[in-house]
Structure formats: structure tokens, C-alpha cells
């Protein structure tokens, strides 16, 4: 086996900044060496935890003038305000919920891998119902569920695992499509219900999850 | 692309960054407003082909650094020498869990300003080292070493608290 990777190499690789010529040898070593692979995982985990812990949503009314502005800025301020009125702010509400729930000590209220437990639990808690598919034979499994509120409307929340990755699936009548940089997400509509899946997984995994819900 | 098309998608990111610089919502709002005003006025001088996101972040941090809070922050925290860094703490010795978010936020706050900045730009904004170097007007090598040190400090901080 080749020599162990330096801390700097692991860090650059995790940041996607390793020189192109060194990527191949690095990946070869990572495949063979559990220790370096472990360090890489820890590095990626730190990155992700920082990203999740360090994100704060802006308040809704942020661009109204707060203080007396210098005269030269008055026109520009008016222009900025006009821009803000015309352009909807990106919606990060679901990404925030996803992060908050994952960070919570009790992320789900009904803890079960069995859809026959989770589905009845939602009854009476939601003004709609939706099928939960059988995940046996798929790469996914159910971890549990809870009810969350989005725009003051109850929305079903399912936590679905893909290996060790947690995917948040929101199901409701009016779930806003997220605009997210930090996670992958997809949204689809079925039987008048909106489904939004968010997770730190590959796009193809989310597409796979959607397929599970189609039948 | 117009100013609006380029600038508005950066809004939430700039606000988040401003929060971490100022540590205070009201001041962060002022800072973002002022940044947009300055950027709007200076847009004519922005050269196509250069990195707009880095340009906006640079305006924001320059505005912050010349504000009262910014001057106080930099006066209190002299930049540490970048050259004498020895890597410390193995990454594998610490595995973070989601429940540590509060500790982690405190550890980020405890970082000297320049270290906090590179960490946020790299891990929250997913900027490349090159972009960070443009946003902070520092060489790429300095970005790399500050980033390594910032992460080592965060890890050590978390280890001490558990």
C-alpha cells in the first residue's frame, strides 16, 4: 500500500481542491486504507456539521430602511427596495426544517421502520392521507415520522434512511419548493399532494426515493 | 446579467455571513443593506468575467472591517502568523454528532475573525480556495493554511468541551 495521506491532502481532497493530477492516487489509497478513509469521513463530517450549524435565515423584513440614510443613498435605497418587491426571496424554510430536525435530540415522534405503524400514527393528525410504500428490497428504510408546520399548515415529515444518510421527506398540500445549495432536493406532486425530499445524498438517490412513492 | 439577477440570489448567504461577522441581527441587517447599496453604486466598475460572488463578499467584509464593530474586532484579535503552523489533532479523533450544533456554533464564534471567515466561506458558502482568496484579498496559500488552522482550532475546542 502507498504511504498514508497527509492531513493536508485529506483536507484538500474533502474541499474538492486537490490538484487534478493527484486525485487518482489519492482515491486508490483511500480504497485500500481504512485509516485514511476514516480521516476523510471525519473531515467531511466536520464540514457538513459546520455548514448545518452555521446557517441562519435572514428575517423577512430585512431590506426596509432602518436608520437615516445619507442623502446620496436615498435613490439607491429606493431602487433596492423596488428590486426586493419584485423578486421573491429564495425559500430555505424546508432546508432549515431539515437541519433543525436532524439536529434535534428527538428528530421523530413515531420511531418505527414499519410503515404499518407510521401510517396509522398520522391519522387524525393531518387533514389528508398518503400511502407509505414498502421499502423492503430498496436501498431505503424508514426511520420514523412526525408532524411539522409549514406556513401554519400541518405537513407530514418522514425520515428515510439511505445507509447512514438521513433524508427528510415532507408531504403536504402546500409545501414550498426549496431553493437549496447545501443539500440535494427534489419535489414532485401526486394526488394533489406535494412531496419534497431533502438530504445530503446524491440526486440519483432522491430520484430513487421518488420512484418508491410512485406506485 | 443585471445587478438584480446577479445580486439577489446571494442575499441569504450575505446575511448569514454578516451575522457571523457582527454577531448581532440588527447590525447584520445594516451591513447587508449597506453592502447592496455600495454594490449597486459600484456595479459600473465591476468587470464582467470576474467573480461576482467574491466581489459582493469583499464589499461586505470591507464595509464591516471599517465599521465600529469591525475595527474593534480586528483591534482585539491580531492576525496570527500564518507561516508557523504545525498540523495538530488528528481528524479521526473527533466524530461530530448533530446534537453538537450549539457547541460547534460557539467554537466558530471563538475563532479569531480571519479564521472564522475562511471557515464560513469554505464550508457554508462552498467557495473554492480561489474565490475565498478573491473575497478576502489574500493569497491562496494563506487561505489553505488559515483553513487548516481554523479546523484544528474548532476540533480542539470541541474536544476540550466533551
Amino acid at each position: 500500500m502507498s504511504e498514508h495521506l497527509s492531513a493536508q491532502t485529506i483536507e484538500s481532497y474533502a474541499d474538492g481542491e486537490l490538484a487534478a493530477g493527484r486525485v487518482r492516487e489519492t482515491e486508490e489509497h483511500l480504497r485500500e486504507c481504512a485509516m485514511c478513509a476514516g480521516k476523510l469521513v471525519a473531515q467531511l463530517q466536520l464540514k457538513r456539521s459546520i455548514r448545518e450549524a452555521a446557517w441562519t435565515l435572514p428575517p423577512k423584513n430585512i431590506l426596509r430602511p432602518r436608520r437615516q440614510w445619507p442623502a446620496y443613498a436615498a435613490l439607491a435605497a429606493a431602487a433596492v427596495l423596488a428590486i426586493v418587491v419584485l423578486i421573491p426571496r429564495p425559500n430555505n424554510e424546508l432546508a432549515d426544517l431539515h437541519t433543525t430536525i436532524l439536529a434535534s435530540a428527538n428528530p421523530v415522534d413515531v420511531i418505527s421502520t414499519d410503515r404499518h405503524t407510521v401510517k396509522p400514527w398520522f391519522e387524525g393528525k393531518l387533514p389528508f392521507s398518503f400511502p407509505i410504500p414498502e421499502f423492503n428490497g430498496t436501498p431505503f428504510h424508514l426511520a420514523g415520522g412526525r408532524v411539522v408546520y409549514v406556513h401554519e399548515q400541518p405537513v407530514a415529515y418522514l425520515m428515510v434512511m439511505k445507509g447512514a444518510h438521513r433524508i427528510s421527506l415532507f408531504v403536504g398540500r402546500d409545501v414550498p419548493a426549496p431553493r437549496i445549495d447545501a443539500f440535494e432536493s427534489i419535489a414532485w406532486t401526486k394526488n394533489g399532494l406535494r412531496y419534497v425530499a431533502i438530504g445530503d445524498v446524491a440526486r440519483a438517490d432522491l430520484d430513487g426515493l421518488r420512484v418508491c412513492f410512485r406506485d | 446579467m443585471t445587478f438584480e439577477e446577479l445580486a439577489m440570489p446571494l442575499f441569504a448567504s450575505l446575511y448569514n455571513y454578516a451575522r457571523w461577522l457582527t454577531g448581532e441581527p440588527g447590525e447584520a441587517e445594516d451591513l447587508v443593506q449597506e453592502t447592496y447599496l455600495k454594490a449597486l453604486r459600484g456595479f459600473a466598475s465591476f468587470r464582467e468575467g470576474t467573480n461576482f460572488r467574491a466581489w459582493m463578499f469583499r464589499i461586505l467584509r470591507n464595509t464591516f472591517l471599517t465599521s465600529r464593530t469591525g475595527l474593534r474586532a480586528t483591534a482585539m484579535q491580531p492576525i496570527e502568523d500564518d507561516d508557523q503552523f504545525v498540523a495538530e489533532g488528528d481528524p479521526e479523533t473527533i466524530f461530530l454528532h448533530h446534537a453538537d450544533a450549539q457547541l460547534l456554533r460557539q467554537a466558530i464564534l471563538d475563532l479569531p475573525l480571519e479564521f472564522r471567515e475562511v471557515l464560513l466561506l469554505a464550508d457554508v458558502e462552498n467557495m473554492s480556495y480561489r474565490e475565498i482568496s478573491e473575497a478576502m484579498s489574500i493569497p491562496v496559500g494563506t487561505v489553505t493554511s488559515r483553513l487548516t488552522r481554523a479546523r484544528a482550532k474548532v476540533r480542539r475546542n470541541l474536544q476540550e468541551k466533551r
Side-chain angles (χ1 to χ4, degrees), chain B residues 30-97:
Chain B
D30 287 351
L31 182 54
V32 173
Q33 288 193 358
E34 208 176 330
T35 301
Y36 272 85
L37 291 179
K38 282 187 178 168
L40 190 64
R41 276 188 280 127
F43 190 53
S45 72
F46 172 75
R47 282 173 294 117
E48 286 277 346
T50 50
N51 188 311
F52 184 77
R53 181 163 69 146
W55 184 70
M56 288 294 284
F57 273 85
R58 193 163 65 227
I59 294 174
L60 185 138
R61 68 185 298 278
N62 287 343
T63 307
F64 169 72
L65 292 175
T66 52
S67 73
R68 218 184 309 160
T69 317
L71 289 172
R72 219 182 308 131
T74 45
M76 277 176 1
Q77 296 179 328
I79 303 180
E80 293 172 45
D81 196 337
D82 276 318
D83 301 325
Q84 298 173 1
F85 175 65
V86 185
E88 40 196 323
D90 270 336
E92 91 267 27
T93 52
I94 174 161
F95 276 87
L96 290 163
H97 297 286

Side-chain angles (χ1 to χ4, degrees), chain A residues 61-119:
Chain A
N61 54 356
I62 177 167
L63 275 187
R64 83 193 135 71
R66 290 163 44 86
R67 305 222 172 119
Q68 62 283 24
W69 290 89
Y72 64 79
L75 269 179
V80 171
L81 284 171
I83 293 163
V84 170
V85 172
L86 292 173
I87 298 177
R89 203 104 8 87
N91 189 325
N92 275 313
E93 203 172 336
L94 289 194
D96 278 7
L97 264 174
H98 169 72
T99 308
T100 312
I101 291 170
L102 260 47
S104 154
N106 304 301
V108 287
D109 289 333
V110 51
I111 304 169
S112 175
T113 57
D114 183 359
R115 62 187 176 134
H116 300 299
T117 307
V118 175
K119 185 167 164 28

Side-chain angles (χ1 to χ4, degrees), chain A residues 132-170:
Chain A
I132 301 179
E134 178 56 73
F135 288 113
N136 272 344
T138 74
F140 305 102
H141 70 268
L142 192 60
R146 67 189 285 180
V147 175
V148 297
Y149 286 83
V150 179
H151 297 166
E152 288 140 38
Q153 294 295 313
V155 167
Y157 173 87
L158 291 179
M159 186 181 285
V160 179
M161 308 295 293
K162 163 95 196 317
H165 295 282
R166 295 186 282 186
I167 301 169
S168 290
L169 179 65
F170 299 90

Side-chain angles (χ1 to χ4, degrees), chain B residues 6-42:
Chain B
L6 288 165
M8 291 324 288
L10 299 175
F11 194 86
S13 285
L14 288 165
Y15 176 78
N16 187 59
Y17 194 61
R19 271 300 297 269
W20 281 102
L21 291 183
T22 62
E24 204 260 310
E27 233 179 294
E29 290 183 33
D30 287 351
L31 182 54
V32 173
Q33 288 193 358
E34 208 176 330
T35 301
Y36 272 85
L37 291 179
K38 282 187 178 168
L40 190 64
R41 276 188 280 127

Side-chain angles (χ1 to χ4, degrees), chain A residues 7-8 11-12 15 17 35 38-39 41-43 45-59 61-67 69 72-73 76-77 79-80 83-84 87 89-90 92 102-103 166 179 181-182, chain B residues 3-4 8-9 11-13 15-16 19-20 26-27 29-30 32-34 36-37 40-41 87 90-92 94-96 98-99 101 104-105 108 119-120 122-130 144 147-148 151 154-155 158:
Chain A
Q8 188 63 63
E11 192 164 357
S12 302
D15 287 336
E17 295 273 348
M35 193 180 90
K39 288 182 183 179
V41 170
Q43 185 70 37
Q45 205 173 22
L46 179 68
K47 275 178 77 72
R48 190 177 62 188
S49 300
I50 288 169
R51 186 175 66 201
E52 288 173 2
W55 184 255
T56 326
L57 260 196
N61 54 356
I62 177 167
L63 275 187
R64 83 193 135 71
R66 290 163 44 86
R67 305 222 172 119
W69 290 89
Y72 64 79
V80 171
I83 293 163
V84 170
I87 298 177
R89 203 104 8 87
N92 275 313
L102 260 47
R166 295 186 282 186
R179 165 264 181 212
D181 295 325
Chain B
F3 177 76
E4 298 89 294
M8 291 324 288
F11 194 86
S13 285
Y15 176 78
N16 187 59
R19 271 300 297 269
W20 281 102
E27 233 179 294
E29 290 183 33
D30 287 351
V32 173
Q33 288 193 358
E34 208 176 330
Y36 272 85
L37 291 179
L40 190 64
R41 276 188 280 127
D90 270 336
E92 91 267 27
I94 174 161
F95 276 87
L96 290 163
H98 290 285
L104 191 48
R105 274 194 284 274
I108 297 170
L119 192 68
L120 292 167
D123 288 351
V124 181
E125 297 307 326
N126 265 321
M127 280 192 188
S128 68
Y129 294 174
R130 164 66 50 198
T144 320
L147 200 49
T148 303
R151 286 170 177 152
V154 165
R155 264 189 229 111
L158 291 174

